[in-house]
Amino acid sequence: MEIDILSLFPDYFRGPFDVSMLKRGRDMGHFDIRHTNIRDFAENKNGRVDDRPFGGGPGMVLCPGPVARAIRSVKKPGSRVIYLSPQGSLLTAAKCGELAKYEHLILLCGHYEGVDERVLQKEIDEEISIGDYVLTNGCAAAIVLVDAMARFIPGVIGHPDAVQEDSFQEGIFDSPHYTRPENFEGMEVPPVLLGGNHAEIRKWRKAEARKKTARVRPDLLLGEHCEPLTIH
Ligand code: 4FN
């Protein structure tokens, strides 16, 4: 998969995509991430790409021209163009599985108060939000989307079973984890995990996961979220 990220701060992405799983996925050629600075498409010599909002109000708005030219500079037949936006539909594991099937994603990150509506209408296929909180720019959202989606690209995660077994693939929380030592500052590991009865362990883990999900996120056990997620 090819991913083009359009933003005003390409440097923002230096750390996250150059370590751990995402670096491995890139090095192995499972996906390729390129960065475009929207400022390179400014109309004027001083590189300004924002202006004051028509109708008044605080802050600045990203101008449609530079954004349109930035998108068109990377767009090809079959590209999926996504605007990371607080007005988008909420990102889910199921959506990540869907997005992982595209050959080419273009991710537009917002800045200032947002992007002129007309270029969104003209060039964007889909608006996605990572959650209900205020961000200073859309770059952090693009990092979350790429990280959450990467695991659905075949080969990015070492062990294929790991993807399916992961927390949330089942639509509920993961069970608690324990490792050595057996006694940590007076706290013991639950005895069932040391007993070697794998049927009992499975049962215990399922019950613990359900208990905590019911307490913290009852919404995950109700309604449309109760279908277990499956990949491809
Ligand atoms: N945020 C809200 C309401 C109104 C504005 C914001 C907000 C960055 C360019 C967008 C935020 C959250 C999740 C992109 C938030 C996301 C952004 C995202 C984002 C600068 C304009 C802005 C949701 C609290 C009601 C700033 C809430 N997922 N404006 O944060 O880009 O993708």
Side-chain angles (χ1 to χ4, degrees), residues 95-117:
K95 172 57 75 178
C96 291
E98 254 175 62
L99 294 177
K101 294 177 189 165
Y102 287 96
E103 286 288 305
H104 184 211
L105 291 185
I106 299 173
L107 306 180
L108 172 64
C109 304
H111 295 269
Y112 313 116
E113 299 304 312
V115 180
D116 186 287
E117 187 67 22

Side-chain angles (χ1 to χ4, degrees), residues 154-221:
V156 170
I157 285 206
H159 198 32
D161 290 349
V163 182
Q164 191 64 56
E165 264 186 30
D166 251 319
S167 152
F168 260 97
Q169 229 46 69
E170 310 264 355
I172 68 167
F173 283 0
D174 208 351
S175 54
H177 305 289
Y178 296 88
T179 186
R180 288 191 297 175
E182 283 183 26
N183 182 311
F184 171 69
E185 299 181 357
M187 303 165 85
E188 298 282 352
V189 172
V192 62
L193 298 178
L194 305 173
N197 184 334
H198 294 286
E200 278 301 308
I201 291 172
R202 241 191 327 273
K203 223 171 77 186
W204 179 87
R205 283 183 169 155
K206 205 170 222 161
E208 289 298 308
R210 282 205 146 260
K211 257 195 305 196
K212 181 149 185 186
T213 308
R215 180 157 49 83
V216 177
R217 289 290 306 278
D219 57 300
L220 291 177
L221 297 174

Side-chain angles (χ1 to χ4, degrees), residues 122-123 229:
K122 205 159 198 178
E123 300 289 344
L229 293 162

Side-chain angles (χ1 to χ4, degrees), residues 50-172:
D50 61 320
D51 211 330
R52 293 160 67 197
F54 281 125
M60 302 297 268
V61 177
L62 255 177
C63 302
V67 172
R69 286 192 293 278
I71 293 172
R72 289 168 191 157
S73 77
V74 294
K75 201 172 191 170
K76 38 190 182 185
S79 298
R80 185 75 174 170
V81 188
I82 294 167
Y83 176 42
L84 280 314
S85 149
Q87 282 81 45
S89 52
L90 265 188
L91 184 65
T92 60
K95 172 57 75 178
C96 291
E98 254 175 62
L99 294 177
K101 294 177 189 165
Y102 287 96
E103 286 288 305
H104 184 211
L105 291 185
I106 299 173
L107 306 180
L108 172 64
C109 304
H111 295 269
Y112 313 116
E113 299 304 312
V115 180
D116 186 287
E117 187 67 22
R118 293 163 296 181
V119 69
L120 300 178
Q121 261 183 38
K122 205 159 198 178
E123 300 289 344
I124 299 296
D125 296 314
E126 193 171 356
E127 224 171 313
I128 296 178
S129 166
I130 62 160
D132 296 335
Y133 27 73
V134 176
L135 297 176
T136 55
N137 67 72
C139 296
I143 293 170
V144 170
L145 189 149
V146 170
D147 188 293
M149 185 187 61
R151 65 203 298 95
F152 291 92
I153 300 172
V156 170
I157 285 206
H159 198 32
D161 290 349
V163 182
Q164 191 64 56
E165 264 186 30
D166 251 319
S167 152
F168 260 97
Q169 229 46 69
E170 310 264 355
I172 68 167

Side-chain angles (χ1 to χ4, degrees), residues 19-38:
V19 294
S20 182
M21 212 95 90
L22 291 178
K23 176 169 168 52
R24 210 181 129 261
R26 296 176 73 190
D27 289 348
M28 291 180 66
H30 295 303
F31 56 94
D32 185 23
I33 304 172
R34 290 180 299 255
H35 300 282
T36 297
N37 193 334
I38 297 165

